[in-house]
Amino acid sequence: MPQLKPYSHYNDLYDKFTIENCRKIISDTIKHEESRDQPWERKFRSNVYELYVSFEVVDRALNKNKVIEKRMKSDKEKDDFISSTKIPKLKCNFCSKQMDLDDTSFMSWVWDEKDRLLFIFQCNDCNKRRAIYNDWEEIIPKKHLCPNCNTELNKKSDIKNDTLTINYFCDKCSYKESEIVDLKVENIEEKEDNNYEEDRKRFCISEEETYKLKNWIHDFYEWIYEVINWTDPVSIAKRKEQEKFRPLENIKRFTITELEEYLSPILTEKWFINFSLWKAEIDKEIHVYFTVIDKSDKNQKHSSRIRLRKIINEAISNTNWFFMNSWKLEEKLWIIQWRLKWVDNNDELLKLIEK
Ligand SMILES: [Zn+2]
Ligand SMILES: [Zn+2]
């Protein structure tokens, strides 16, 4: 029997698989859906299986020609292999007569280099058989031996009412055994598939329809993308604002009293004592004078303002307090008077911090 069949055979087979796959996707989705409690989950999935099926439909349609071509080529190769393989000539092992070829089988489902042909020969004189591959490997059946005297058993087969009875008997002793094989073929009636042609139209589509469907899938994806990424303008503005002021998250916002309590011990440790804030001026910002007494030794006095500014700047670097650049310090004897400003406006704060 030739392996290569007409195009319609492969086409029908391919469509059959496509229909089966699509039906399975739908039934699996429905089954999964029924296991869910929430009605909205069911609704969502009902819409989604259309999409799953569309993927499969497009995929199968786009691969159809390639797959069928490959199958046909493979079957043609099998035919070439079979026709180019010489039938061996065999002699019977028992009576040495030339045997006749009884059957040829192609031993493969999928074509590959290891595929072989099996030839089965029969002797017309003594009915003995031999099975041999095209590469001369022979299948030698295990001998069925008598359990009493170890002689090879003879057999006689008989078919009656769909029952095959094989009787084994020993020529030497009187040993007998039989094997009964039920040959009844179960009558599997193929269920009538009323929706087959309808489903074939639906799932096995032409190339032109494939491109239409592909566009639909593309649009659907775009829509999903927009839905996922969609946010209302108020939320977008809020998120941008949050992002913008993120650097201010770690800023310590001290009141005047808190600042005094915070800076005093830091300055005292470096010999600037009696730090006090006083006289707040309220403008757009709050400006506060401070005084501090320098108790460090005389040799360090000339650099005291630089040291003081450095100490304070380091200490307030992470707060909403800043030196007033426009205002110069006053220094009399050992008292230093300077000004700090308190900033509360976030935009202003951000500007100053980024400096
Ligand atoms: Zn023979
Ligand atoms: Zn025996």
Side-chain angles (χ1 to χ4, degrees):
M1 203 171 115
Q3 304 289 319
L4 184 64
K5 290 158 198 83
Y7 178 85
S8 61
H9 166 82
Y10 301 91
N11 190 41
D12 290 348
L13 208 62
Y14 192 88
D15 285 356
K16 195 173 165 245
F17 275 115
T18 306
I19 293 163
E20 272 170 21
N21 288 357
C22 291
R23 283 174 171 178
K24 193 170 181 310
I25 289 170
I26 293 172
S27 70
D28 283 356
T29 317
I30 289 170
K31 233 183 266 167
H32 183 79
E33 209 170 70
E34 280 167 356
S35 69
R36 300 275 135 180
D37 313 322
Q38 301 298 328
W40 64 267
E41 280 183 302
R42 286 182 211 157
K43 195 170 175 223
F44 180 67
R45 288 202 169 73
S46 295
N47 295 330
V48 148
Y49 78 62
E50 286 294 332
L51 185 68
Y52 291 158
V53 168
S54 305
F55 289 152
E56 182 67 13
V57 166
V58 168
D59 201 46
R60 295 288 297 174
L62 290 179
N63 284 311
K64 189 176 193 172
N65 283 339
K66 220 178 5 185
V67 170
I68 290 181
E69 238 171 64
K70 203 175 155 198
R71 271 292 143 68
M72 290 181 81
K73 187 174 169 249
S74 161
D75 283 350
K76 167 98 179 35
E77 278 170 353
K78 284 179 199 168
D79 283 340
D80 289 348
F81 170 70
I82 292 166
S83 66
S84 69
T85 305
K86 270 193 181 168
I87 300 167
K89 281 187 176 160
L90 272 193
K91 280 186 175 164
C92 175
N93 284 337
F94 294 85
C95 66
S96 299
K97 289 250 168 73
Q98 193 76 38
M99 297 179 99
D100 289 338
L101 181 67
D102 188 48
D103 192 22
T104 310
S105 305
F106 186 74
M107 305 305 285
S108 161
W109 288 106
V110 182
W111 173 255
D112 72 65
E113 279 177 25
K114 287 173 210 128
D115 292 339
R116 298 197 284 184
L117 276 176
L118 179 69
F119 300 103
I120 295 169
F121 288 89
Q122 169 130 3
C123 174
N124 285 330
D125 271 23
C126 62
N127 274 344
K128 295 278 190 244
R129 288 158 81 85
R130 286 179 76 183
I132 195 162
Y133 288 107
N134 61 292
D135 59 5
W136 290 95
E137 189 194 324
E138 187 168 358
I139 298 175
I140 296 164
K142 248 187 162 179
K143 282 180 182 172
H144 197 164
L145 301 175
C146 170
N148 296 334
C149 63
N150 237 13
T151 314
E152 191 178 355
L153 294 173
N154 271 322
K155 68 174 179 180
K156 242 184 187 171
S157 321
D158 188 28
I159 300 175
K160 236 182 220 168
N161 300 332
D162 292 332
T163 308
L164 167 71
T165 312
I166 308 166
N167 291 309
Y168 297 94
F169 52 93
C170 179
D171 285 338
K172 246 185 182 173
C173 65
S174 54
Y175 179 78
K176 266 182 198 166
E177 66 175 54
S178 55
E179 193 185 326
I180 293 168
V181 182
D182 189 0
L183 298 178
K184 243 181 250 157
V185 180
E186 246 186 272
N187 222 354
I188 307 163
E189 260 184 66
E190 263 196 47
K191 270 193 214 153
E192 220 177 305
D193 191 345
N194 292 325
N195 302 322
Y196 192 83
E197 281 313 310
E198 200 183 306
D199 280 355
R200 192 170 186 177
K201 268 186 211 144
R202 186 174 157 205
F203 300 136
C204 308
I205 60 174
S206 71
E207 208 168 308
E208 200 196 330
E209 286 170 309
T210 309
Y211 291 113
K212 262 192 229 160
L213 193 56
K214 259 185 110 175
N215 285 339
W216 178 80
I217 292 173
H218 178 261
D219 291 347
F220 185 83
Y221 263 130
E222 287 286 298
W223 177 72
I224 291 273
Y225 182 81
E226 274 173 32
V227 167
I228 288 169
N229 291 290
W230 185 80
T231 327
D232 62 291
V234 177
S235 305
I236 291 172
K238 209 172 160 188
R239 212 175 52 216
K240 276 191 180 164
E241 181 96 347
Q242 275 176 354
E243 208 51 46
K244 182 181 162 193
F245 292 120
R246 195 173 291 268
L248 299 185
E249 271 173 13
N250 297 322
I251 293 293
K252 285 180 200 140
R253 291 168 196 257
F254 289 135
T255 63
I256 292 178
T257 337
E258 282 166 350
L259 183 70
E260 205 169 51
E261 281 168 5
Y262 168 68
L263 279 180
S264 266
I266 295 171
L267 291 165
T268 307
E269 204 179 298
K270 309 276 184 186
W271 299 100
F272 291 101
I273 61 158
N274 283 16
F275 174 78
S276 65
L277 289 160
W278 55 284
K279 205 182 164 193
E281 280 175 4
I282 299 167
D283 194 2
K284 271 183 200 162
E285 299 155 345
I286 297 173
H287 304 157
V288 191
Y289 289 86
F290 72 81
T291 49
V292 71
I293 296 166
D294 185 359
K295 284 284 275 181
S296 55
D297 61 48
K298 278 179 188 166
N299 294 336
Q300 287 183 9
K301 281 281 192 290
H302 67 280
S303 64
S304 72
R305 66 176 76 174
I306 299 168
R307 283 193 299 121
L308 178 65
R309 194 179 166 110
K310 197 169 173 256
I311 293 161
I312 293 180
N313 254 342
E314 268 171 24
I316 64 175
S317 69
N318 216 19
T319 71
N320 60 331
W321 288 85
F322 301 87
F323 266 99
M324 287 204 51
N325 289 334
S326 57
W327 201 76
K328 283 193 172 164
L329 87 163
E330 281 175 38
E331 214 175 345
K332 237 172 215 172
L333 296 176
W334 54 86
I335 297 178
I336 299 168
Q337 180 183 291
W338 226 332
R339 281 218 291 184
L340 292 174
K341 67 176 175 184
W342 179 84
V343 181
D344 191 42
N345 178 285
N346 280 339
D347 287 307
E348 184 68 19
L349 208 49
L350 204 59
K351 246 189 265 167
L352 287 167
I353 283 171
E354 278 161 5
K355 268 185 201 166

